Amino acid sequence: KVKTAIFISGGGTNMAALLYASRLPNSAYEVVLVASNVPDASGLGLAAAEGVGTFARSHQGMSRPDHDAVMEQAARDAGAECIILAGYMRILTPEFTERWQGRMLNIHPSLLPKYRGLETHKRAIEAGDKVHGASVHLVSSELDAGEVLGQIEVRITQGDTPETLADRVKIAEHQLYPRVVNEYLGRANDPEHLLQKIRDLALALPGTH
Ligand code: GAR
């Protein structure tokens, strides 16, 4: 199974969905770490209660590259081969995203390429959209612009507020994210897949095993 680290900043409901889905038969991945830039993020408690390693370090008072480096080291120390961003509300340095290219995924609450950035639910309602949703994409150095791996639609209904819509989008996200992660990382067993190549390379390097 592919070892994954999940980065969160908040409630971590997507992390919980990913964690429980990883316990289903035939899961392509396991969760080796849940890490956060918010030390009191409630998702950390859930992960710890489920026996998953946790790590927290506030970004406050740290430069972006320094904080990224601490988070990255925590992922490496846990043996992570892939990083899954799940409500991680920090923009990462291009150096970090480049090092994990093809091995870092994010979920974004809109039908990309619409509404990159923040306040996606409010913007969709104000635009008069009938359909909204969520996207899982590979992380690239440009914000919310990496290759889209999967999307799910959520109808906007009369009287929806950003909060009511966000709640329904999250329920949909919990269906989408584990499925897309599983499909994407399932391909890691294909010898032509990037993750497999990286593993082979690591095994071939002296002193790594
Ligand atoms: C999710 O809706 C996710 O799509 C969004 O934050 C929420 C996290 O909820 N992410 C972003 O807005 C990223 N820019 P959770 O902590 O309960 O999983």
Side-chain angles (χ1 to χ4, degrees), residues 28-41:
Y29 67 96
E30 62 184 308
V31 181
V32 296
L33 179 75
V34 174
S36 183
N37 64 312
V38 180
D40 61 359

Side-chain angles (χ1 to χ4, degrees), residues 13-93:
T13 63
N14 277 286
M15 176 275 295
L18 287 160
L19 173 60
Y20 292 127
S22 77
R23 294 178 177 169
L24 290 169
N26 302 323
S27 170
Y29 67 96
E30 62 184 308
V31 181
V32 296
L33 179 75
V34 174
S36 183
N37 64 312
V38 180
D40 61 359
S42 58
L44 289 171
L46 183 141
E50 289 289 358
V52 178
T54 60
F55 175 84
R57 179 69 59 85
S58 171
H59 55 277
Q60 277 164 19
M62 279 180 100
S63 72
R64 191 177 298 278
D66 284 355
H67 187 261
D68 278 7
V70 167
M71 296 293 289
E72 186 175 3
Q73 193 58 48
R76 287 193 193 285
D77 289 347
E81 301 164 285
C82 174
I83 294 176
I84 303 178
L85 306 179
Y88 187 62
M89 303 306 277
R90 296 273 304 159
I91 293 173
L92 300 164
T93 58

Side-chain angles (χ1 to χ4, degrees), residues 26 29 41 49 73 81 89 99 101 127 129 131 137 140 154 176:
N26 302 323
Y29 67 96
Q73 193 58 48
E81 301 164 285
M89 303 306 277
R99 270 197 297 282
Q101 194 142 35
D129 291 359
V131 178
H137 63 95
S140 66
V154 174
L176 177 73

Side-chain angles (χ1 to χ4, degrees), residues 24-195:
L24 290 169
N26 302 323
S27 170
Y29 67 96
E30 62 184 308
V31 181
V32 296
L33 179 75
V34 174
S36 183
N37 64 312
V38 180
D40 61 359
S42 58
L44 289 171
L46 183 141
E50 289 289 358
V52 178
T54 60
F55 175 84
R57 179 69 59 85
S58 171
H59 55 277
Q60 277 164 19
M62 279 180 100
S63 72
R64 191 177 298 278
D66 284 355
H67 187 261
D68 278 7
V70 167
M71 296 293 289
E72 186 175 3
Q73 193 58 48
R76 287 193 193 285
D77 289 347
E81 301 164 285
C82 174
I83 294 176
I84 303 178
L85 306 179
Y88 187 62
M89 303 306 277
R90 296 273 304 159
I91 293 173
L92 300 164
T93 58
E95 292 75 21
F96 188 4
T97 58
E98 270 153 35
R99 270 197 297 282
W100 289 81
Q101 194 142 35
R103 299 186 293 148
M104 181 149 58
L105 282 72
N106 182 43
I107 191 158
H108 181 76
S110 79
L111 295 174
L112 290 171
K114 283 184 117 170
Y115 311 127
R116 292 174 178 152
L118 298 176
E119 300 201 316
T120 58
H121 311 297
K122 180 165 178 274
R123 287 153 69 199
I125 291 170
E126 283 176 2
D129 291 359
K130 298 269 180 290
V131 178
H132 185 49
S135 308
V136 174
H137 63 95
L138 290 174
V139 176
S140 66
S141 52
E142 200 187 332
L143 184 68
D144 302 328
E147 182 190 342
V148 172
L149 301 175
Q151 293 186 312
I152 190 164
E153 290 187 353
V154 174
R155 291 270 181 94
I156 298 179
T157 59
Q158 198 120 44
D160 252 335
T161 64
E163 292 73 29
T164 60
L165 184 55
D167 286 348
R168 283 207 315 293
V169 168
K170 273 199 197 184
I171 294 170
E173 288 182 332
H174 301 163
Q175 307 303 312
L176 177 73
Y177 211 0
R179 180 174 296 203
V180 173
V181 168
N182 223 18
E183 280 169 7
Y184 182 72
L185 296 183
R187 285 191 249 148
N189 297 323
D190 172 350
E192 284 309 303
H193 192 274
L194 182 64
L195 273 166

